[in-house]
């Protein structure tokens, strides 16, 4: 499989896979994938000849009132975004993005910057811009390390570091 | 009783309040029928299409309170298309024309318009109480009419409605002279709230017992409101997004300390967990706690809160509480009567969900438990059998295993035996919802043992018509039967049509009933409205020469004394 690059992010490096490093095989049914789509696949039996509809597709199931469905967001969806040097903060709704590439592209557009290439080893290289976020425990983390779902439910706010702070981070890595 | 004058008999009847009992009284003799008729204050209509307002007024000319229900229950889950019906307008028009002194109107799953609310507010001088549950079709303009015109309004209770929020000033429409409010619940409004108008309203309402705020009322406003209303019994909290506002937290805590009558807490839509500590002083008195919208409150904060609520009778929670959290509930809340555990992750696969262990723990720890709604990922027969042994007092038992057709996760067997144990042990069971992998066997058990069952919800269950027949033949008290995605067909539907006369309604969707079967049913039972709901076809079924063998997607039938309704939309075909 050719190197996948979406929005300058090196997806392959962040994929979790079974198998020895260096092998190219990718298991389709892997539920956990850092930068793949948000949608989960049911791991139920695919042996049946007619695949039962996934939970996502059954109308009116589970039997939860639409009022409750609309109000029951998995964690706060709107988060503050600050960019070093910008005069004011912005707010974005994490729910409108399904994966890291979408989010980073939106941030790039919002703040007019270009982000470097992500790698698990070296973080974001090349542009002196590093996206970070504050998680539920209050720690500042690098965007992109954990699976999207985990990130979107634990992200409290975002901070785009740049300039000297970011360079220090780059060289430290 | 012939020796007593009518006024004395009527006085005695005033102590009889249950609808069932009053219905029985009116059957005793002609004279009792007449006295009861004129003295009936509260009327309950479970299906607004079973009778007309004119017939109602003819039967009970002097009632003060009316409860009306519209759409079938499965409308809650988007199974009933928009526009199906349940309009309250003709009712309000008819009541307004008559001279009935309406004081209370309670509506559930009905379509209410601003026009209806305006008419309501102008037509009944003594109108006191409006309760709307799961209704739609109106905006804050309608609320403004109610606020402006109902001079003696005591209750404005809006529960989970879809309200078009025009961000108007409906709260300011309560006149300065309005001081009679007892209940104000606008938690379901999405828009901004005029905080100044709200504070002034609360400050001049000394009888206010129940206040449920919406998202737009922040922490500091809540603190000020509580200072004005220390007599509050039920509180629904809005949002406190700003975690850093510790000063407001302290102010709130000081105000809450004075609310010694506070018994019920709800809301917390966007709550910073550490502000929960403001409610420390009142936890030990709480009897009702609804945290089912509080996705932010979990883990140790939640456990801490629950450990202090020893008098809790009603708990609504999210499954993020986990089995461990439920064990804390079981060991702390010995007075618990009703528990609802809602799913956080609607698509399944969450690892914080609850399992059968949590359910067993609750059943073992809470001897007074009689109502449960439990969403979970997995279940076993063994657990259900244990639950049945621990808790034979269930009146309502609703179990929803999120994945359809899921068997016992240990034995891979259907869950027939588990539910069988529940119905056998719980002799007072009135409401049951089943889920998971189920064969006809479970319905055999239900028909055999659930003799008092009034409402049964079935989804993705059963093998043959026998299943449905067991239920119809066995459960003599059945009132509402709702079935979806189960292989029951014409044989079961048509076996004994007279049964449906003793029931309020039957819903069957994505089952095996055919158009021909439904037509035969309608012929045999002209006192039923047999509705076929077919959104895709726009009621062209007959014109397109559909065969009798064509399967019907959605069938809704109900007994009625007024025949076919005239307000059905094109996609509803009444046979």
């Amino acid at each position: 499989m050719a190197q996948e690059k979406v929005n300058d992010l090196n997806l392959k490096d962040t994929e979790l896979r079974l198998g020895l490093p260096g092998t190219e095989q990718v298991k389709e049914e892997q539920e956990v994938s850092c930068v793949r789509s948000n949608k989960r696949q049911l791991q139920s039996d695919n042996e049946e000849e007619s695949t039962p509809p996934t939970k996502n597709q059954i109308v009116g199931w589970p039997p939860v009132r639409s009022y409750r469905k609309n109000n029951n967001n998995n964690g706060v969806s709107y988060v503050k975004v600050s960019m070093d040097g910008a005069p004011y903060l912005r707010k974005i709704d994490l729910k409108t993005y399904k994966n890291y590439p979408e989010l980073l592209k939106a941030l790039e557009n919002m703040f007019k910057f270009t982000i470097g290439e992500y790698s698990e080893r070296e973080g974001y290289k090349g542009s002196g811009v590093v996206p970070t976020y504050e998680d539920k425990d209050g720690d500042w983390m690098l965007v992109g390390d954990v699976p999207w779902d985990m990130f979107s439910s634990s992200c409290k706010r975002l901070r785009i570091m740049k300039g000297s702070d970011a360079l220090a981070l780059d060289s430290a890595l | 009783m012939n020796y007593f004058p009518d006024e004395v008999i009527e006085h005695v009847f005033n102590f009889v309040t249950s609808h069932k009992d009053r219905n029985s009284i009116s059957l005793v003799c002609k004279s009792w029928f007449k006295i009861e008729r004129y003295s009936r204050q509260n009327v309950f209509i479970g299906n607004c299409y079973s009778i007309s307002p004119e017939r109602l007024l003819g039967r009970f000319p002097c009632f003060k309170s009316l409860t009306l229900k519209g759409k079938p229950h499965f409308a809650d889950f988007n199974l009933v298309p928009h526009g199906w019906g349940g309009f309250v307008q003709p009712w309000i028009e008819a009541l307004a024309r008559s001279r009935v002194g309406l004081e209370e109107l309670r509506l559930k799953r009905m379509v209410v318009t601003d026009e209806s609310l305006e008419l309501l507010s102008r037509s009944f001088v003594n109108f006191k109480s409006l309760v709307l549950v799961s209704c739609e079709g109106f905006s804050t303009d309608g609320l403004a009419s109610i606020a402006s015109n109902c001079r003696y309004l005591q209750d404005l209770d809006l529960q989970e409605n879809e309200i078009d929020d025009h961000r108007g000033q409906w709260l300011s429409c309560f006149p300065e002279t309005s001081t009679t409010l007892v209940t104000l619940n606008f938690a379901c409004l999405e828009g901004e709230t005029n905080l100044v108008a709200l504070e002034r309203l609360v400050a001049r309402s000394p009888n206010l017992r129940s206040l449920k705020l919406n998202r737009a009322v922040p922490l500091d406003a809540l603190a000020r409101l509580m200072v004005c209303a220390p007599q509050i019994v039920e509180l629904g909290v809005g949002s406190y997004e700003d975690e850093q506002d510790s000063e407001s937290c302290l102010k709130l805590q000081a105000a809450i300390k004075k609310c010694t009558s506070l018994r019920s807490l709800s809301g917390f839509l966007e709550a910073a967990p550490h502000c929960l500590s403001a409610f420390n002083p009142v936890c030990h008195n709480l009897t009702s706690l609804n945290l089912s919208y509080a996705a932010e409150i979990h883990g140790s904060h939640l456990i801490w809160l629950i450990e202090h609520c020893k008098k809790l009778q009603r708990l609504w929670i999210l499954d993020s509480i986990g089995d461990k959290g439920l064990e804390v509930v079981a060991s702390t809340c010995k007075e618990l009567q009703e528990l609802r555990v809602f799913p956080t992750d609607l698509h399944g696969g969450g690892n914080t969900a609850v399992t059968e262990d949590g359910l067993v723990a609750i059943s073992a720890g809470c001897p007074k438990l009689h109502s449960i709604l439990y969403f979970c990922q997995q279940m076993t027969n063994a657990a259900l059998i244990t639950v049945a042994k621990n808790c034979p007092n269930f009146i309502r038992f609703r179990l929803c295993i999120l994945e359809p057709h899921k068997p016992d996760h240990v034995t891979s067997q259907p869950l027939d035996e588990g539910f069988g144990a529940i119905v056998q042990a719980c002799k007072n069971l009135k409401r049951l919802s089943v889920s998971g992998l189920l064969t006809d066997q479970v319905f055999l058990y239900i028909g055999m043992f659930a003799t008092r069952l009034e409402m049964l919800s079935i989804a993705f269950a059963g093998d043959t018509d026998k299943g449905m027949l067991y239920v119809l033949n066995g459960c003599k008290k059945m009132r509402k039967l709702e079935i979806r995605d189960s292989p029951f067909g014409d044989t079961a539907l048509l076996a004994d049509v007279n049964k449906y006369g003793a029931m309020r309604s039957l819903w069957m969707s994505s089952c095996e009933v055919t158009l021909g079967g439904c037509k035969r049913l309608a012929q045999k039972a002209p006192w039923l409205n047999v509705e076929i709901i077919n959104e895709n076809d726009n009621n062209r079924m007959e014109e397109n020469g559909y065969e009798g063998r064509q399967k019907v997607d959605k069938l809704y039938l109900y007994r009625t004394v007024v025949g076919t309704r005239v307000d059905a939309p094109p996609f509803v075909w009444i046979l």
Side-chain angles (χ1 to χ4, degrees):
Chain A
M1 201 195 245
Q3 287 273 330
E4 270 182 83
K5 275 197 187 175
V6 181
N7 265 12
D8 299 319
L9 271 179
N10 192 345
L11 296 180
K12 288 222 84 193
D13 276 3
T14 58
E15 268 174 37
L16 291 184
R17 290 188 237 152
L18 294 180
L20 299 170
T23 59
E24 287 298 300
Q25 233 178 339
V26 178
K27 281 212 175 143
E28 289 298 318
E29 296 96 74
Q30 280 298 324
E31 244 190 13
V32 180
S33 157
C34 292
V35 290
R36 283 240 185 92
S37 164
N38 200 12
K39 287 220 169 80
R40 281 182 229 248
Q41 298 300 316
L42 268 186
Q43 280 190 325
S44 57
D45 348 288
N46 286 320
E47 294 103 50
E48 297 168 50
E49 57 268 17
S50 58
T51 326
T54 64
K55 289 189 277 286
N56 291 347
Q57 293 161 18
I58 305 176
V59 176
W61 193 263
V64 172
R65 276 192 190 160
S66 27
Y67 176 83
R68 186 173 285 283
K69 270 187 183 162
N70 295 337
N71 276 284
N72 218 8
N73 297 319
N74 236 350
V76 179
S77 54
Y78 269 97
V79 296
K80 292 182 186 172
V81 188
S82 63
M83 167 113 171
D84 291 354
Y88 49 82
L89 279 63
R90 302 295 302 269
K91 257 194 169 171
I92 58 169
D93 179 359
L94 286 180
K95 286 226 169 333
T96 58
Y97 310 107
K98 294 202 224 33
N99 51 41
Y100 284 117
E102 279 184 21
L103 170 67
L104 292 170
K105 179 168 186 183
L107 291 176
E108 283 180 326
N109 285 337
M110 199 181 256
F111 290 99
K112 310 282 181 285
F113 65 87
T114 323
I115 204 152
E117 207 181 286
Y118 173 83
S119 72
E120 203 178 302
R121 251 180 300 115
E122 297 183 50
Y124 292 87
K125 273 190 75 171
S127 64
V129 177
V130 184
T132 63
Y133 70 99
E134 184 183 10
D135 74 356
K136 280 189 164 137
D137 300 323
D139 297 317
W140 285 92
M141 320 285 292
L142 184 69
V143 170
D145 285 337
V146 300
W148 172 259
D149 282 348
M150 200 185 286
F151 162 76
S152 63
S153 59
S154 61
C155 171
K156 291 274 129 209
R157 57 192 296 166
L158 284 156
R159 177 186 167 200
I160 320 247
M161 293 171 74
K162 68 182 242 199
S164 50
D165 282 349
L167 286 173
L169 224 77
D170 264 355
S171 55
L173 291 171
Chain B
M1 286 292 262
N2 290 337
Y3 317 127
F4 291 120
D6 286 357
E7 303 81 59
V8 174
I9 300 181
E10 187 181 317
H11 183 71
V12 173
F13 286 178
N14 281 341
F15 293 98
V16 180
T17 47
S18 117
H19 300 292
K20 279 196 186 135
D21 289 343
R22 291 205 67 123
N23 290 344
S24 304
I25 287 178
S26 54
L27 291 173
V28 167
C29 63
K30 276 204 184 120
S31 131
W32 278 32
F33 179 87
K34 186 173 149 215
I35 299 171
E36 197 282 319
R37 191 174 150 224
Y38 283 99
S39 64
R40 175 95 61 131
Q41 304 268 290
N42 306 317
V43 179
F44 171 85
I45 310 274
N47 174 5
C48 65
Y49 290 120
S50 61
I51 191 169
S52 70
E54 290 77 21
R55 291 275 297 254
L56 172 65
L57 285 161
R59 174 80 171 83
F60 299 115
C62 306
F63 65 88
K64 295 212 159 48
S65 164
L66 177 63
T67 303
L68 273 176
K69 294 190 180 180
K71 300 181 209 169
H73 175 232
F74 275 176
D76 279 351
F77 317 130
N78 295 337
L79 287 179
V80 176
H82 187 76
W84 171 85
F87 309 105
V88 78
Q89 180 69 6
W91 287 85
I92 299 186
E93 279 172 3
L95 294 177
R97 276 194 301 267
S98 77
R99 270 170 294 143
V100 76
L102 192 67
E103 294 184 10
E104 176 178 72
L105 186 62
R106 311 171 72 99
L107 305 176
K108 187 167 188 179
R109 275 183 229 112
M110 293 201 70
V111 177
V112 179
T113 59
D114 289 343
E115 189 196 342
S116 307
L117 291 175
E118 162 96 30
L119 182 60
L120 177 68
S121 72
R122 291 196 186 285
S123 308
F124 307 104
V125 170
N126 286 326
F127 192 74
K128 295 193 170 69
S129 172
L130 181 63
V131 181
L132 302 177
V133 180
S134 291
C135 296
E136 41 135 353
F138 60 106
S139 77
T140 44
D141 295 348
L143 299 180
S145 314
I146 298 287
S148 310
N149 304 328
C150 300
R151 283 207 283 152
Y152 305 111
L153 193 68
Q154 291 178 6
D155 306 314
L156 181 58
D157 191 356
L158 309 168
Q159 299 176 29
E160 299 189 344
N161 303 289
E162 299 210 358
I163 306 177
D164 204 2
D165 198 327
H166 290 167
R167 292 174 170 80
Q169 297 301 314
W170 69 278
L171 271 172
S172 345
C173 292
F174 283 98
E176 287 299 317
T177 48
S178 154
T179 57
T180 47
L181 269 184
V182 175
T183 303
L184 180 61
N185 174 3
F186 59 96
C188 59
L189 280 180
E190 293 289 310
E192 308 257 319
T193 295
N194 183 337
L195 295 173
V196 171
L198 175 60
E199 278 177 49
R200 285 164 59 174
L201 180 60
V202 169
R204 66 174 185 273
S205 303
N207 297 327
L208 195 66
R209 293 276 170 278
S210 174
L211 179 63
K212 295 181 184 171
L213 309 168
N214 72 345
R215 258 195 171 94
V217 180
L219 194 54
D220 53 331
L222 177 62
R224 287 195 297 276
L225 285 168
M226 288 300 98
V227 170
C228 299
Q231 76 282 6
I232 209 91
V233 175
E234 295 177 355
L235 178 63
V237 162
S239 89
Y240 4 127
E241 228 185 81
D242 194 349
E243 303 181 23
Q244 305 309 317
D245 192 357
S246 48
E247 190 191 325
S248 286
C249 261
L250 287 169
K251 280 197 184 141
L252 179 60
Q253 186 160 5
I256 293 288
K257 254 201 192 104
K258 303 218 172 93
C259 299
T260 51
S261 304
L262 191 52
R263 295 288 175 273
S264 162
L265 269 187
S266 60
F268 298 99
L269 293 142
E270 281 161 26
H274 70 253
C275 282
L276 267 187
S277 57
F279 294 96
N280 292 0
V282 292
C283 281
H284 62 277
N285 278 333
L286 286 182
T287 56
S288 169
L289 185 59
N290 181 355
L291 294 173
S292 62
Y293 290 102
E296 294 295 285
I297 300 178
H298 48 79
S300 54
H301 290 110
L302 179 58
I303 301 295
W304 184 95
L305 182 66
I306 295 200
E307 273 170 348
H308 289 77
C309 297
K310 298 201 195 303
K311 289 202 189 146
L312 224 49
Q313 292 172 18
R314 189 163 85 138
L315 177 63
W316 290 23
I317 199 90
L318 288 169
D319 64 1
S320 47
I321 192 175
D323 287 338
K324 288 273 170 283
L326 287 177
E327 282 165 28
V328 174
V329 173
S331 57
T332 310
C333 308
K334 296 302 179 187
E335 303 294 313
L336 196 67
Q337 296 175 22
E338 179 187 329
L339 175 68
R340 295 195 191 188
V341 181
F342 291 96
T344 325
D345 186 352
L346 294 169
H347 308 306
N351 43 14
T352 52
V354 296
T355 71
E356 69 272 21
D357 294 336
L359 184 60
V360 170
I362 291 287
S363 71
C366 304
K368 299 191 181 174
L369 192 66
H370 59 59
S371 293
I372 190 156
L373 169 62
Y374 199 80
F375 283 84
C376 59
Q377 303 282 346
Q378 59 188 47
M379 189 49 57
T380 63
N381 283 311
L384 285 173
I385 291 169
T386 307
V387 168
K389 225 185 320 210
N390 292 338
C391 262
N393 297 323
F394 277 119
I395 303 176
R396 289 170 215 96
F397 188 87
R398 294 194 278 165
L399 180 66
C400 181
I401 302 163
L402 288 166
E403 193 184 316
H405 304 300
K406 186 154 184 183
D408 178 321
H409 76 93
V410 169
T411 65
S412 298
Q413 292 296 300
L415 290 169
D416 301 335
E417 298 306 311
F419 280 105
I422 295 283
V423 293
Q424 196 171 357
C426 303
K427 313 237 183 285
N428 289 323
L429 197 66
K430 285 196 179 153
R431 183 168 182 184
L432 177 66
S433 297
V434 296
S435 59
L437 182 65
L438 295 165
T439 70
D440 287 345
Q441 185 72 6
V442 71
F443 300 113
L444 174 67
Y445 291 141
I446 293 174
M448 228 190 322
F449 296 114
T451 49
R452 298 219 173 111
L453 198 63
E454 295 178 9
M455 183 170 177
L456 178 60
S457 307
I458 301 171
F460 305 100
D463 303 315
T464 71
D465 280 0
K466 277 205 239 159
M468 186 168 161
L469 282 167
Y470 289 141
V471 171
L472 285 174
N473 292 332
C475 302
K476 308 262 185 253
K477 301 253 172 153
M478 186 64 67
R479 289 190 300 116
K480 286 184 282 184
L481 183 56
E482 47 185 27
I483 307 173
R484 64 166 291 179
D485 294 275
S486 302
F488 306 134
D490 296 339
T491 312
L493 182 68
L494 293 164
D496 183 0
V497 302
N498 290 319
K499 288 250 159 27
Y500 305 129
M503 285 168 55
R504 187 189 297 175
S505 64
L506 169 68
W507 170 281
M508 293 181 75
S509 60
S510 304
C511 297
E512 303 286 316
V513 293
T514 68
L515 181 57
C518 294
K519 279 185 173 170
R520 282 203 302 285
L521 173 63
Q523 262 177 333
K524 280 189 184 186
W527 34 266
L528 284 180
N529 271 355
V530 179
E531 296 194 7
I532 311 288
I533 300 168
N534 194 1
E535 336 165 43
N536 301 321
D537 232 14
N538 242 11
N539 202 23
R540 296 254 179 276
M541 279 181 94
E542 198 161 45
E543 291 169 29
N544 284 349
Y546 271 61
E547 300 277 345
R549 286 189 311 278
Q550 176 75 21
K551 283 212 196 117
V552 157
D553 191 39
K554 289 171 186 163
L555 162 67
Y556 180 53
L557 63 86
Y558 51 90
R559 63 182 176 189
T560 177
V561 294
V562 288
T564 309
R565 62 183 173 112
V566 297
D567 61 1
F571 56 80
V572 173
W573 184 13
I574 307 183
L575 296 174

